[in-house]
Amino acid sequence: MAEGLRERKKRQTRQYISDVATGLFLERGFDAVTVAEVAEAANVSVNTVYNYFPTKEDLFLDRSQGIVERLARWVRGREEGESAAAAVLRELREEVEAVSPRLGLMDGYARFMEVIHDAPALRSRLWAIGQEILDNLEVALREETGAPDDDPLPGLIAGQINWVHQTVMSVIGREMMTGRNPDEVSREVLVLLDDMEELLSEKVLNYAVRAVE
C-alpha cells in the first residue's frame, strides 16, 4: 500500500526530530541536552517531540523497534530445512560480511557508543532492549514449534541463540570504540561466528527446523 501524504509527513517529521536530537547528543552528551532544547533546535513544541518519542531515550535509540524484533523476524523467515539457530547465524554472517551499519560497522559508531557509555539511562534502556530481543525470540520459537507454555526448551534455546547475537554486538561495539577499521572488525567477527557455532550443541543447531514442503 502506497504511503499517504499525511503518513509521509509524520515519518519525515519524526526522522527530522530524531536527527536533530542525535546531533545534539553526539555533540554534547545525552545528559547535557534537554528535550526542550531538542524541540527548540527542531523548531517544534515539546509536546510534539513527546508525541513522536515517549521518552528522551527514544530520541537517541529511535531504531530500537527494528532491533528488538530482529532475531524473532529472522527465525520466522527461516528457509525450508533451516533451523532457528542456522537462520540467525546466516543472517548475522550476511550482515557482518556486508559491513552493515545496522550492526555498528561504520565510521562514527565509536562516538555513538561513547554517548551510551556515559549515560546511565541509555545503558539501562540498552539492557531493556536486550531483554525484549530475548523475550520476542522465545515467543517466536514457541509459536514456530507449537511448544506449550510450560515447556522450558524454547527459553533455553532462545538464550543460546541470543548469546551469539549479543556477543557479536558487544564485540563490535567494543572494537569500534577503540577506533578500529570496520572492515577489519568485520573479518574478525566472521571468525568469531565460526568459533561460536562450534560451541553450540547439536540440539540447539537442529531446533525448530522448518519442514520442507
Side-chain angles (χ1 to χ4, degrees):
M1 184 179 296
E3 183 181 41
L5 178 61
R6 179 180 175 83
E7 288 73 21
R8 182 167 68 251
K9 285 186 175 181
K10 289 178 66 176
R11 175 177 56 79
Q12 291 172 341
T13 298
R14 186 184 192 281
Q15 188 61 56
Y16 178 68
I17 294 171
S18 173
D19 290 345
V20 169
T22 299
L24 290 173
F25 294 145
L26 292 176
E27 179 184 353
R28 295 163 50 192
F30 183 76
D31 292 332
V33 178
T34 67
V35 174
E37 289 173 319
V38 171
E40 181 179 1
N43 197 30
V44 298
S45 69
V46 171
N47 284 340
T48 296
V49 174
Y50 280 120
N51 283 340
Y52 287 98
F53 303 94
T55 70
K56 182 182 173 184
E57 291 78 18
D58 293 326
L59 281 164
F60 193 67
L61 300 171
D62 63 308
R63 294 176 174 84
S64 63
Q65 191 58 41
I67 295 174
V68 300
E69 297 172 352
R70 177 187 284 165
L71 299 189
R73 183 174 66 251
W74 287 349
V75 166
R76 289 192 173 100
R78 68 195 185 285
E79 300 171 355
E80 290 184 353
E82 188 175 46
S83 71
V88 171
L89 286 163
R90 173 177 55 78
E91 293 279 4
L92 276 175
R93 284 194 176 97
E94 290 175 359
E95 293 279 351
V96 173
E97 286 176 349
V99 195
S100 173
R102 288 187 291 269
L103 297 185
L105 292 166
M106 55 183 278
D107 293 327
Y109 192 65
R111 178 54 188 156
F112 181 85
M113 290 302 297
E114 287 171 0
V115 172
I116 294 175
H117 183 268
D118 293 338
L122 288 177
R123 294 201 305 271
S124 178
R125 174 56 67 85
L126 207 59
W127 179 86
I129 288 172
Q131 290 300 117
E132 287 185 69
I133 292 172
L134 178 59
D135 292 343
N136 287 342
L137 176 58
E138 180 178 349
V139 169
L141 290 173
R142 288 191 184 281
E143 291 176 351
E144 292 294 303
T145 61
D149 292 341
D150 60 352
D151 184 352
L153 195 54
L156 296 174
I157 300 293
Q160 294 291 299
I161 295 174
N162 186 59
W163 164 72
V164 174
H165 176 259
Q166 188 178 47
T167 301
V168 166
M169 297 302 294
S170 177
V171 168
I172 289 175
R174 184 185 68 229
E175 294 302 315
M176 294 305 295
M177 279 188 72
T178 66
R180 296 283 307 283
N181 180 282
D183 293 319
E184 292 178 355
V185 176
S186 169
R187 289 192 291 271
E188 293 177 7
V189 172
L190 285 174
V191 174
L192 177 65
L193 275 167
D194 290 341
D195 291 340
M196 285 191 289
E197 182 172 3
E198 290 182 359
L199 292 174
L200 295 175
S201 71
E202 288 300 312
K203 191 166 189 176
V204 173
L205 291 172
N206 293 308
Y207 187 76
V209 175
R210 170 152 284 164
V212 178
E213 297 181 359

